[in-house]
Amino acid sequence: MHDDATATATPEAPQETGALIDHILTHYHEMHRADLASLVPLAERVEQVHADDPDAPTGLARALATLAREMEDHMAKEELILFPAMRAGGGAGIEHPIAVMRADHDDHAATIARIRKLTGDLTPPEHACGSWRSLYGGTATLLDELAAHIALENDVLFPRFETAR
Ligand SMILES: [Fe+2]
Ligand SMILES: [Fe+2]
């Protein structure tokens, strides 16, 4: 997990389509995978250590694992199908996989809402320990970066191929 302030979540994205895709892959896809790989076991530990605390985020590790699975399926489709087609210049029918990706983006919202609900919108209680705080801080950063990632695809990358026909 990286501890950057959320202000660094939307660095300058390159203009050119191939470079923009590279930027999405390294700055978002790989970063999300690394963040989730550490947040899920951290949530398991916090839930376990604070099992008797009524403020503990029971179910958070499961919700994060669900988000990781949904995002992995989605990012794999972009990496294996959509982005290679875009690098090759797009072409007839590309609006169909783009529509599927937009629907996937909307589908992440239910799991994200569950994560926010379980954690009081990622606000740790007064008495939260360091691990608990770092779990909520890391999850907040992940969700901010995921929102920036989705906005970059929905608003910048995808329209280039939806309107070029
Ligand atoms: Fe993506
Ligand atoms: Fe996406």
Side-chain angles (χ1 to χ4, degrees):
M1 181 182 359
H2 53 291
D3 295 317
D4 299 345
T6 52
T8 62
T10 50
E12 205 63 32
Q15 259 302 307
E16 194 269 319
T17 295
L20 176 58
I21 289 172
D22 289 339
H23 171 85
I24 288 170
L25 293 176
T26 52
H27 201 84
Y28 295 110
H29 288 210
E30 286 177 22
M31 209 87 110
H32 295 330
R33 285 182 172 113
D35 285 350
L36 283 158
S38 61
L39 287 169
V40 172
L42 180 58
E44 283 167 355
R45 283 200 302 280
V46 168
E47 284 185 51
Q48 195 176 14
V49 169
H50 300 283
D52 296 333
D53 188 326
D55 292 327
T58 307
L60 179 59
R62 252 181 96 161
L64 285 169
T66 299
L67 183 63
R69 209 164 44 240
E70 290 173 356
M71 286 173 59
E72 187 51 53
D73 285 351
H74 170 79
M75 293 190 297
K77 283 186 273 187
E78 290 179 339
E79 289 164 13
L80 297 173
I81 300 163
L82 184 61
F83 290 172
M86 287 177 166
R87 287 188 201 274
I94 198 168
E95 68 273 16
H96 299 300
I98 290 176
V100 174
M101 296 304 105
R102 286 188 181 277
D104 285 352
H105 291 169
D106 292 343
D107 289 346
H108 295 327
T111 308
I112 290 169
R114 193 155 89 249
I115 289 168
R116 291 200 180 277
K117 187 161 182 242
L118 284 170
T119 59
D121 205 14
L122 293 164
T123 309
E126 279 301 307
H127 63 279
C129 65
S131 302
W132 195 336
R133 289 177 192 279
S134 133
L135 170 63
Y136 282 19
T139 303
T141 300
L142 170 73
L143 296 186
D144 284 345
E145 293 191 346
L146 178 57
H149 169 193
I150 288 174
L152 192 56
E153 291 177 346
N154 281 355
D155 303 339
V156 179
L157 180 62
F158 294 173
R160 292 182 184 180
F161 294 89
E162 293 167 315
T163 55
R165 297 166 352 101

